[in-house]
């Protein structure tokens, strides 16, 4: 059951990372780009953390 939960969390963080990546590429504001980039980094680290637990 733990593996399933980790897999779901991995996919959720991966999806959030991809969503933020698209937003980052289309963004024009430098302030907003900084905020989106920090969210991308968080979700990337979380996804890596959950894939390592599988």
């Amino acid at each position: 059951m733990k593996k399933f939960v980790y897999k779901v969390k991995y996919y959720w963080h991966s999806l959030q990372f991809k969503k933020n990546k698209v937003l980052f590429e289309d963004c024009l504001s430098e302030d907003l780009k900084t905020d989106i980039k920090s969210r991308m980094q968080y979700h990337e680290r979380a996804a890596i953390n959950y894939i390592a637990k599988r």
Side-chain angles (χ1 to χ4, degrees), residues 5-38:
V5 172
Y6 290 153
K7 191 174 186 178
V8 169
K9 287 184 178 186
Y10 163 74
Y11 282 114
W12 187 82
H13 283 290
S14 179
L15 181 66
Q16 293 300 312
F17 171 78
K18 290 175 187 174
K19 178 189 84 167
N20 285 320
K21 186 175 182 180
V22 170
L23 289 174
F24 181 80
E25 292 170 357
D26 292 339
C27 185
L28 299 175
S29 170
E30 288 300 320
D31 293 334
L32 193 54
K33 274 189 171 185
T34 305
D35 183 47
I36 293 171
K37 190 169 186 172
S38 69

Side-chain angles (χ1 to χ4, degrees), residues 2-3 6-7 9 46-54:
K2 261 188 191 179
K3 285 185 178 185
Y6 290 153
K7 191 174 186 178
K9 287 184 178 186
I48 290 170
N49 183 34
Y50 285 114
I51 202 165
K53 289 183 178 184
R54 287 204 276 171

